[in-house]
Amino acid sequence: MGPEAVFWTLVLGLICIAEAGMMGDQCDWNGSGLESNTERGVTPVYLRCREGSVSWLYPRGALRLLFKPPLPAEERDFRVCVRVIRRPDPPDFFQSLQLNETEAAERFPARIFVEGVRRLVPLYAPDDGDVRELRCFRSRHGQAALYVEAEPEEGPKRRVAIFRYEARPLVRRHYDPATADCRPCSDSELEMAFCTSDLVSRGMMVGSEQREDLDTTQLTWRLTKLIRATAAGDTGDFDDDDEYYRYDIDNSIEHKNRRTHKHARSRKARGMHTHVHVSAACGAAAGAGEFFLMARRRLGKYTLVCAPRLHDWKLLVERRNAEGTAHCFLQH
């Protein structure tokens, strides 16, 4: 089906909106195509957050996703990035460097179009020959909408279309936006990153890998002192026996069930690792020495915010804590 035909399918579907299923008005949306009475129905979904996810079980018909992120009035236009999920993400933290995303990628059972002026522009198709799972587009006059069209059903096989999205304001600066995230952080940015990041830790880079599917460089870190971490859904990725937010100074995990010291030493010896992503345009690679790592979660992955060398971070902490001007209590 061509973009023009898809556009008129959208128009007809919106006329028959009563048959389209349940509407959404939230950050995340979960629905099922089995709730629709017709394969031509269109379900409107209103996404009013800066980030979230969409999970469409047994996709049928189409979804019309209207993005309304809470941005300041002066930042009318914004950029939306969508990452289709074709296999489960690995855990945030792991102890073996042999961890690989070996699970085969499944076919994403839908096509995605950006809604334009009287036409739909293709953004993603399972057979478009582009290996990237991440696709981005810009709003137009403060409006942004996606049309997600389910592929034809193939028998009773369970299918689910899952993707994450993030809406960010367009930053108009003189430097290249593609490399804006590559520049070193200023002192004030380092301080703010410590106070607000999802992952704050000391660590050493032990490897790097180019991820063409995400258009990033994946940096592998061995953590030497974990200060703060929030996992997907704030549930953690350790066993149920683990007290996720409590760590000893040497990064061995303090357990609720008070396991033996021998077992704790065994866990410490294996160490803890994590993957953090940075834009492929930065040309990042593993470097020697200990760093102070700060990252935030974007589209399901940890993304680097700042990573000063530990010595430089310690000097900043001592100065700001002595002045009493920091936004929060800084640690190293």
Side-chain angles (χ1 to χ4, degrees):
M1 181 182 295
E4 287 75 18
V6 172
F7 180 82
W8 290 112
T9 300
L10 170 64
V11 173
L12 292 174
L14 290 175
I15 293 175
C16 303
I17 203 69
E19 297 181 357
M22 296 181 62
M23 285 193 266
D25 188 359
Q26 53 214 358
C27 298
D28 305 322
W29 182 84
N30 297 278
S32 171
L34 299 180
E35 299 171 354
S36 175
N37 297 323
T38 173
E39 293 188 1
R40 301 190 66 182
V42 180
T43 300
V45 179
Y46 301 94
L47 301 172
R48 301 185 183 273
C49 297
R50 289 188 179 222
E51 56 188 89
S53 64
V54 171
S55 179
W56 192 17
L57 183 63
Y58 297 110
R60 296 178 65 195
L63 303 177
R64 182 177 183 264
L65 310 178
L66 183 63
F67 296 89
K68 288 286 187 179
L71 299 175
E74 64 273 14
E75 297 177 346
R76 182 182 181 188
D77 281 310
F78 52 93
R79 183 172 184 253
V80 179
C81 287
V82 174
R83 177 191 164 214
V84 301
I85 308 298
R86 299 188 297 163
R87 55 189 161 197
D89 284 332
D92 286 328
F93 302 99
F94 53 93
Q95 293 177 320
S96 172
L97 285 177
Q98 301 303 314
L99 177 71
N100 293 310
E101 298 181 47
T102 56
E103 187 168 347
E106 296 185 357
R107 183 180 178 88
F108 188 76
R111 296 173 179 269
I112 304 176
F113 300 84
V114 178
E115 188 174 307
V117 180
R118 298 192 61 80
R119 72 186 188 98
L120 296 175
V121 180
L123 184 69
Y124 176 88
D127 53 0
D128 63 7
D130 190 337
V131 299
R132 294 176 302 153
E133 296 179 355
L134 183 67
R135 309 292 172 92
C136 301
F137 65 99
R138 294 175 55 166
S139 65
R140 187 175 183 275
H141 303 310
Q143 297 288 327
L146 287 182
Y147 179 77
V148 186
E149 179 191 34
E151 288 197 314
E153 297 181 49
E154 299 178 354
K157 180 182 178 181
R158 184 183 186 275
R159 302 189 306 165
V160 59
I162 302 175
F163 61 84
R164 302 179 187 274
Y165 71 88
E166 181 186 64
R168 304 180 71 185
L170 292 176
V171 180
R172 295 177 174 86
R173 293 176 178 171
H174 296 296
Y175 53 83
D176 183 4
T179 60
D181 294 334
C182 307
R183 61 183 176 84
C185 295
S186 65
D187 286 356
S188 59
E189 288 171 333
L190 287 171
E191 178 189 332
M192 188 59 66
F194 177 89
C195 298
T196 61
S197 291
D198 296 313
L199 173 65
V200 179
S201 176
R202 285 160 55 167
M204 304 176 72
M205 276 191 285
V206 295
S208 62
E209 176 186 355
Q210 297 303 312
R211 290 290 303 271
E212 293 184 358
D213 54 336
L214 300 174
D215 196 23
T216 66
T217 300
Q218 177 178 279
L219 302 175
T220 302
W221 293 79
R222 180 173 66 83
L223 306 184
T224 55
K225 180 183 178 183
L226 182 56
I227 295 174
R228 182 173 69 251
T230 56
D234 292 334
T235 58
D237 293 289
F238 298 103
D239 297 334
D240 291 338
D241 292 335
D242 292 337
E243 180 71 26
Y244 184 60
Y245 291 100
R246 296 176 63 186
Y247 296 88
D248 294 332
I249 192 67
D250 60 1
N251 200 40
S252 60
I253 304 170
E254 181 180 352
H255 300 284
K256 290 179 180 178
N257 61 358
R258 300 186 181 280
R259 297 178 183 176
T260 66
H261 292 291
K262 179 180 179 180
H263 188 76
R265 285 197 299 271
S266 175
R267 289 180 65 100
K268 175 185 173 184
R270 285 180 289 174
M272 186 184 299
H273 298 79
T274 191
H275 290 319
V276 176
H277 293 253
V278 65
S279 171
C282 298
E290 191 170 8
F291 295 81
F292 198 83
L293 170 66
M294 291 170 276
R296 61 154 296 192
R297 181 174 295 282
R298 290 183 57 192
L299 299 168
K301 303 280 189 180
Y302 280 136
T303 300
L304 185 66
V305 178
C306 301
R309 291 198 173 272
L310 181 59
H311 174 73
D312 297 331
W313 172 252
K314 284 183 175 180
L315 293 177
L316 175 62
V317 169
E318 293 169 1
R319 184 171 68 253
R320 287 296 174 91
N321 284 343
E323 296 171 350
T325 59
H327 293 288
C328 62
F329 183 72
L330 305 180
Q331 304 176 53
H332 54 74

